[in-house]
């Protein structure tokens, strides 16, 4: 099946710093990628839809200036958490489509902001 | 709008027991339906899918049938193993590429030896 990678798998940072998370589709091209946030024991919350070569579409309540998304190529999308605070600590997961309606998910990135 | 409702968990079973996790949905048109599985500390893996009514998705002993008349996509397995312990998510999407997924709440399954 289609493979999606994320890097880093976990990151610890100090409050006020910025963190970049990369999402790559390894064996397919993804015109559209999605970014999710997951709190412990909860379902996934869609943050934004990332389209290659255009601005991301953010869900209601998600601060676009805080969560910067760039989809520079058909195989790479990045999420930058700017000026991170402890409440941004979470599990971030990306997904991409391989040509049909199915989404393939990355392994997730665990962010801890101290 | 679209929505997915899963049976509440957690579900605890003994090894070799029969598993059913109920999933019902509300959607316009003819969505595609999915079951994803999430093991601890990992992302989601596609378990199975069905794209039209009466389709049966199957993988690793798990099955689910797309029932349009009851708007359901229940997940079943005849004999669970300890290694099946995970969180299972039911989801639906539109039929076109790039359609967003709507997830259920997730059901935690624990299988004891």
């Amino acid at each position: 099946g289609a493979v999606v990678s994320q890097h880093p798998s976990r990151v610890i940072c100090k409050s006020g710093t910025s963190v970049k998370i990369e999402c790559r589709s390894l064996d397919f091209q993804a015109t559209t990628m999605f970014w999710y946030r997951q709190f412990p024991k909860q379902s996934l919350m869609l943050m934004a839809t990332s389209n290659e070569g255009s601005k991301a579409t953010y869900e209601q309540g998600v601060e676009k200036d805080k969560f910067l998304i760039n989809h520079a190529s058909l195989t790479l999308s990045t999420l930058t958490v700017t000026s991170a605070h402890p409440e941004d600590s979470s599990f971030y997961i990306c997904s991409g489509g391989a040509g049909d309606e199915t989404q393939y998910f990355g392994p997730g990135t665990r962010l801890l902001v101290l | 709008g679209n929505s997915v409702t899963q049976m509440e968990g957690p579900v605890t079973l003994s090894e070799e027991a029969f598993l059913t996790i109920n999933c019902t949905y509300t959607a316009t048109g003819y969505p595609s339906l999915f079951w994803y599985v999430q093991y601890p500390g990992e992302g989601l893996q596609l378990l199975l899918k069905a794209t039209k009514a009466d389709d049966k998705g199957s993988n690793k002993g798990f099955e689910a049938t797309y029932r349009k008349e009851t708007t359901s996509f229940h997940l079943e397995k005849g004999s669970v193993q300890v290694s099946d312990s995970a969180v299972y998510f039911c989801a639906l999407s539109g039929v076109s590429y790039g359609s967003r997924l709507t997830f259920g709440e997730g059901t935690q399954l624990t299988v004891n030896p």
Side-chain angles (χ1 to χ4, degrees), chain A residues 74-100:
Chain A
L74 290 172
T75 59
L76 174 64
S77 178
T78 60
L79 167 67
T80 301
V81 182
T82 62
S83 186
H85 288 95
E87 58 265 30
D88 298 325
S89 299
S90 194
F91 193 51
Y92 293 88
I93 308 175
C94 69
S95 71
D100 60 11

Side-chain angles (χ1 to χ4, degrees), chain B residues 100-113:
Chain B
R100 64 173 57 193
L101 284 172
T102 300
F103 285 96
E105 303 86 353
T107 301
Q108 171 75 56
L109 170 66
T110 301
V111 181
N112 295 318

Side-chain angles (χ1 to χ4, degrees), chain A residues 5 12 18 20 31 37 39 42 46-47 49 54 60 82-83 87 92 96 99:
Chain A
S5 70
I12 301 173
S18 294
K20 179 184 283 189
T31 306
R37 183 173 180 177
F39 293 101
Q42 294 189 23
L46 179 64
M47 299 175 65
T49 303
S54 64
Q60 191 173 4
T82 62
S83 186
E87 58 265 30
Y92 293 88

